[in-house]
Amino acid sequence: MIENDFYTAQTQGPYETASIGRLDLEDGGVIDDCWLAYATAGHLNEDKTNAILIPTWYSGTHGTWFQQYIGPGHALDPAEYFIICVNQIGNGMSVSPRNTADDSIAMSSFPKVRIGDDVVAQQRLLHQKFGIEELFAVVGGSMGAQQTYEWIVRFPDRVHRAAAIAGTAQNTPHDFLFTQTLNEAIESDPGYAGGEYTSHTDVSEGLRRQSHLWAVMGFSTEWWKKEAWRGLGLDAPDAVLADFLDPLFMSMDPNTLLNNAWKWQRGDVSRHTGGDLAAALGRVTATTFVMPVSEDLFFPVRDCAAEQELIPGSELRVIDDDAGHLGLFNISPDYMSQIDANLTDLFSR
Amino acid sequence: MIENDFYTAQTQGPYETASIGRLDLEDGGVIDDCWLAYATAGHLNEDKTNAILIPTWYSGTHGTWFQQYIGPGHALDPAEYFIICVNQIGNGMSVSPRNTADDSIAMSSFPKVRIGDDVVAQQRLLHQKFGIEELFAVVGGSMGAQQTYEWIVRFPDRVHRAAAIAGTAQNTPHDFLFTQTLNEAIESDPGYAGGEYTSHTDVSEGLRRQSHLWAVMGFSTEWWKKEAWRGLGLDAPDAVLADFLDPLFMSMDPNTLLNNAWKWQRGDVSRHTGGDLAAALGRVTATTFVMPVSEDLFFPVRDCAAEQELIPGSELRVIDDDAGHLGLFNISPDYMSQIDANLTDLFSR
């Protein structure tokens, strides 16, 4: 067990945990006691027809969703919906290399987990814990979008609406390589010790280098050029790294990031259809909004748009934001109003 | 002196060297014996009105220019022009951390060099060695474009035509950060030893990590998605790294890359005009073609177009190439025909 303040209720906000029992993983591994950390808002109605599932993104937890996206005045309004945000497996909050009590899967021994494993685990949690069989909607960003796509392809009858923000159904080769550089930043740090470090601070320099890669790929050339970081109360480009990204990524757990990166790299709904992406996305019956961010450098609009065209009845809703992919953090003045408008529209269908 | 086969006539093609004497650098350093490695093609006419200067890019030498861009059938035709390609200071061919005989500036002691220092050195070489006072044209790509812009702002009366391919007159904040990640890939390798390694192979892992960053930023999402690497005779995405980029970057000298990166990060013609970019580019009298590559991720078309609008009488000529920035290597079927057509047009003005 690696202690880390980042993965606590104090930092991320309150959450609960529940075990779904043994989870046999797509790649052959097993998690004997697969427990998930989740947070809810609102109340499940009697018919159980108002549940919205939110899966989490790389490096993220339920925290940002509750701090930024969920609440009165938002489309994700707890007065109307029962909102459940489930931390993805291996993300440091749910069962993960750093926090499992099972030594056989701790640290570098943690098994490879795929997007499909998360979706299966989430479905079991919803069924076992809440008796939820169908979802009003699934809403996810980045790796959360990967899980959203997996839901509507794997369980087309269980999801009525889907919003996939800044992510793809089938990861791209370019994205795979970008993720590889994130991994190499960590693995090249001698303190990483093959995954057997004793504190995440042993890997501070590797995490800092990963942070700097996010500075390049996470924002856009325009965001930097227009000095949009001033909107964050920062007074120099260096401060974006030193005061924002570095402290954030240097707080995180290296094995967590690596395990989730492996999953991210291999997200692909066409695994259900022998590699035929059109056939996989053709299964979708949920009303689906594909919501790329205009300046995203690694989930570019055209990659998302090409998938949207394969999803029956779907709509492309581009979120205009110079921040690019990290716009997901809700750091631009016009971001959340676009998200809320689109989700409100989706939820009215 | 660090031996390295990459920086030899066998690898890069024949070249000559000439000293321009002492060079006092903009940032306060001095190179007592500043010698430049250059290669020429064609013959200087009697009036000395047919000289075309080509400065080099980051990680590059005169080699690629002679192998890909210069020759019969190309716009850069030695039958018509006297073409001189000058290796930038610190690039491993001209005086550099690895090859200087002056121990006081060897390896980690090599001084900081700016784009303006190169242009001053090139002007002296042209004058002293060839008696050339005016250039028919300057043509450069990437850092070569930075030097091209520096030429037409610093010496407006000495240049009649300019082609700036895939580069900017003022480096962007995003570009600065990208370059920083290239540096960190090297500096984080324990074998780098603060610049005092005994062979570039001591830094193989750092150079490999830099190669992987080029795989992400050097090509475009479309290039990877369309599997355009098949056009290079490669049969898998991994081969782009293992058989092309890795061996290339792992052949290079770490201090060379770091020294040139420092220069790249600070390229800015507005140093001549107290930070006023419009005033600096307003000085230009050369007929100038601004030639960004359509899919360039770090010198994007819009950054180049914004500068082009500030250059009197200039034209924006976008090179359509999915390869992105590394299209400069002439790896796409339609790349060179576009370069040649535009340069032929420019040279006819």
Side-chain angles (χ1 to χ4, degrees):
Chain A
M1 178 79 179
I2 299 281
E3 295 297 332
N4 186 322
D5 289 342
F6 186 74
Y7 304 100
T8 60
Q10 270 180 310
T11 305
Q12 302 298 339
Y15 67 93
E16 297 173 76
T17 61
S19 174
I20 58 158
R22 172 186 165 113
L23 185 67
D24 291 287
L25 301 166
E26 289 185 22
D27 258 57
V30 178
I31 301 176
D32 271 326
D33 177 23
C34 182
W35 51 272
L36 299 173
Y38 62 93
T40 68
H43 300 282
L44 188 60
N45 62 15
E46 213 164 309
D47 299 341
K48 303 188 175 182
T49 57
N50 71 334
I52 296 177
L53 173 72
I54 301 174
T56 62
W57 58 60
Y58 177 83
S59 87
T61 73
H62 63 282
T64 304
W65 284 95
F66 275 78
Q67 292 153 25
Q68 302 291 341
Y69 288 78
I70 298 168
H74 287 296
L76 293 165
D77 186 349
E80 281 197 63
Y81 304 108
F82 178 62
I83 300 163
I84 174 165
C85 184
V86 182
N87 288 277
Q88 63 172 312
I89 297 168
N91 85 328
M93 302 295 300
S94 289
V95 61
S96 297
R98 60 165 283 277
N99 65 10
T100 177
D102 180 351
D103 282 347
S104 73
I105 59 167
M107 301 300 278
S108 65
S109 302
F110 202 79
K112 304 299 188 198
V113 182
R114 285 193 183 259
I115 295 287
D117 296 317
D118 274 281
V119 169
V120 165
Q122 288 158 15
Q123 193 275 323
R124 279 166 56 181
L125 176 76
L126 293 172
H127 169 75
Q128 293 173 11
K129 183 81 187 172
F130 302 102
I132 296 170
E133 305 304 336
E134 296 184 18
L135 288 163
F136 180 84
V138 181
V139 176
S142 200
M143 281 187 76
Q146 291 184 309
Q147 294 166 71
T148 300
Y149 281 120
E150 179 74 18
W151 261 98
I152 59 180
V153 170
R154 181 183 284 260
F155 298 129
D157 297 338
R158 293 182 182 274
V159 187
H160 294 284
R161 294 161 196 81
I165 308 168
T168 53
Q170 182 179 60
N171 200 35
T172 66
H174 178 264
D175 225 281
F176 188 100
L177 290 166
F178 165 50
T179 313
Q180 184 173 331
T181 64
L182 297 177
N183 295 346
E184 289 174 357
I186 289 174
E187 292 165 343
S188 61
D189 188 327
Y192 172 63
E196 298 297 329
Y197 49 88
T198 54
S199 161
H200 71 284
T201 58
D202 295 350
V203 197
S204 288
E205 289 312 307
L207 292 167
R208 191 198 308 275
R209 288 197 293 277
Q210 172 158 156
S211 158
H212 294 180
L213 295 172
W214 281 105
V216 174
M217 292 294 288
F219 301 114
S220 76
T221 55
E222 285 299 280
W223 190 83
W224 285 106
K225 194 169 192 179
K226 292 176 179 170
E227 302 191 348
W229 37 263
R230 292 192 188 279
L232 299 173
L234 302 168
D235 60 1
D238 288 351
V240 180
L241 282 62
D243 298 340
F244 173 30
L245 293 178
D246 288 355
L248 179 63
F249 280 91
M250 291 166 76
S251 300
M252 295 180 189
D253 178 67
N255 283 329
T256 281
L257 294 174
L258 290 167
N259 184 271
N260 282 186
W262 191 93
K263 190 195 296 181
W264 165 9
Q265 288 180 304
R266 289 159 184 82
D268 182 4
V269 296
S270 82
R271 286 165 55 80
H272 294 290
T273 50
D276 185 339
L277 182 63
L281 293 175
R283 288 186 180 184
V284 174
T285 56
T287 302
T288 302
F289 281 10
V290 171
M291 297 166 59
V293 177
S294 57
E295 292 284 342
D296 197 319
L297 281 176
F298 55 97
F299 288 116
V301 171
R302 63 183 163 197
D303 284 351
C304 300
E307 293 185 339
Q308 180 266 318
E309 289 175 11
L310 300 175
I311 302 173
S314 66
E315 295 184 26
L316 181 68
R317 301 289 184 107
V318 177
I319 306 299
D320 186 28
D321 190 349
D322 280 340
H325 194 76
L326 294 184
L328 284 169
F329 284 129
N330 186 29
I331 55 177
S332 301
D334 298 332
Y335 174 80
M336 192 54 73
S337 58
Q338 296 178 72
I339 294 292
D340 278 330
N342 281 294
L343 292 184
T344 299
D345 188 2
L346 177 66
F347 296 167
S348 74
R349 301 295 178 97
Chain B
M1 177 80 178
I2 300 280
E3 294 297 333
N4 186 322
D5 288 344
F6 186 76
Y7 304 99
T8 60
Q10 271 180 309
T11 304
Q12 302 298 340
Y15 67 94
E16 297 173 78
T17 62
S19 174
I20 58 159
R22 172 186 165 112
L23 185 66
D24 292 285
L25 302 166
E26 289 185 22
D27 257 59
V30 178
I31 300 176
D32 271 327
D33 176 24
C34 181
W35 51 272
L36 299 173
Y38 63 92
T40 67
H43 300 281
L44 189 60
N45 62 15
E46 212 164 310
D47 299 340
K48 302 187 176 181
T49 57
N50 72 333
I52 296 176
L53 173 72
I54 301 175
T56 62
W57 58 61
Y58 177 83
S59 86
T61 72
H62 63 282
T64 304
W65 284 95
F66 276 78
Q67 291 152 25
Q68 303 291 341
Y69 288 77
I70 299 168
H74 286 296
L76 293 165
D77 186 350
E80 282 197 62
Y81 304 108
F82 177 62
I83 300 162
I84 174 165
C85 183
V86 182
N87 289 277
Q88 63 173 311
I89 297 168
N91 85 328
M93 302 294 301
S94 289
V95 62
S96 297
R98 62 164 282 277
N99 66 9
T100 176
D102 179 351
D103 282 346
S104 74
I105 59 168
M107 301 299 279
S108 64
S109 302
F110 202 79
K112 305 299 188 198
V113 183
R114 287 195 182 256
I115 295 287
D117 296 317
D118 273 282
V119 169
V120 165
Q122 290 158 14
Q123 193 274 325
R124 278 166 57 181
L125 176 76
L126 293 172
H127 170 75
Q128 293 172 11
K129 183 77 188 177
F130 302 102
I132 295 170
E133 306 303 336
E134 295 184 18
L135 288 162
F136 180 83
V138 182
V139 176
S142 199
M143 282 188 75
Q146 290 183 309
Q147 292 164 73
T148 300
Y149 281 119
E150 179 74 18
W151 262 97
I152 60 181
V153 169
R154 182 181 284 258
F155 297 129
D157 297 338
R158 293 181 180 274
V159 187
H160 295 283
R161 295 161 197 81
I165 308 168
T168 54
Q170 182 179 59
N171 200 36
T172 66
H174 178 263
D175 225 278
F176 189 99
L177 290 167
F178 166 50
T179 313
Q180 183 172 331
T181 65
L182 297 177
N183 294 347
E184 289 174 356
I186 290 173
E187 291 165 345
S188 61
D189 188 327
Y192 172 63
E196 298 297 329
Y197 49 87
T198 54
S199 162
H200 70 285
T201 59
D202 297 349
V203 197
S204 288
E205 291 312 307
L207 292 167
R208 191 197 309 275
R209 288 197 294 275
Q210 172 158 156
S211 157
H212 294 181
L213 296 173
W214 281 105
V216 174
M217 292 294 289
F219 300 114
S220 76
T221 55
E222 284 299 280
W223 190 84
W224 285 106
K225 193 168 193 179
K226 293 177 179 169
E227 302 192 346
W229 37 263
R230 293 192 188 280
L232 299 173
L234 302 168
D235 59 2
D238 287 352
V240 179
L241 282 62
D243 298 341
F244 173 30
L245 293 178
D246 288 356
L248 179 63
F249 280 91
M250 291 166 75
S251 300
M252 296 179 187
D253 179 67
N255 283 329
T256 282
L257 294 175
L258 290 167
N259 185 271
N260 281 187
W262 191 94
K263 190 195 296 181
W264 167 7
Q265 289 180 302
R266 291 159 183 81
D268 183 2
V269 296
S270 83
R271 287 166 54 81
H272 294 289
T273 50
D276 185 337
L277 182 63
L281 292 175
R283 287 186 181 183
V284 174
T285 55
T287 303
T288 302
F289 281 9
V290 172
M291 296 165 61
V293 178
S294 56
E295 293 284 342
D296 197 318
L297 281 175
F298 55 96
F299 288 116
V301 171
R302 63 184 163 197
D303 284 350
C304 300
E307 293 185 339
Q308 179 266 317
E309 289 174 11
L310 301 175
I311 302 172
S314 65
E315 294 184 26
L316 181 69
R317 300 288 185 106
V318 177
I319 306 298
D320 186 29
D321 191 348
D322 281 338
H325 194 76
L326 295 185
L328 284 169
F329 284 129
N330 185 29
I331 56 177
S332 301
D334 298 332
Y335 174 80
M336 192 52 74
S337 59
Q338 296 177 72
I339 294 292
D340 278 331
N342 281 295
L343 292 184
T344 299
D345 188 3
L346 176 66
F347 296 166
S348 74
R349 303 295 179 95

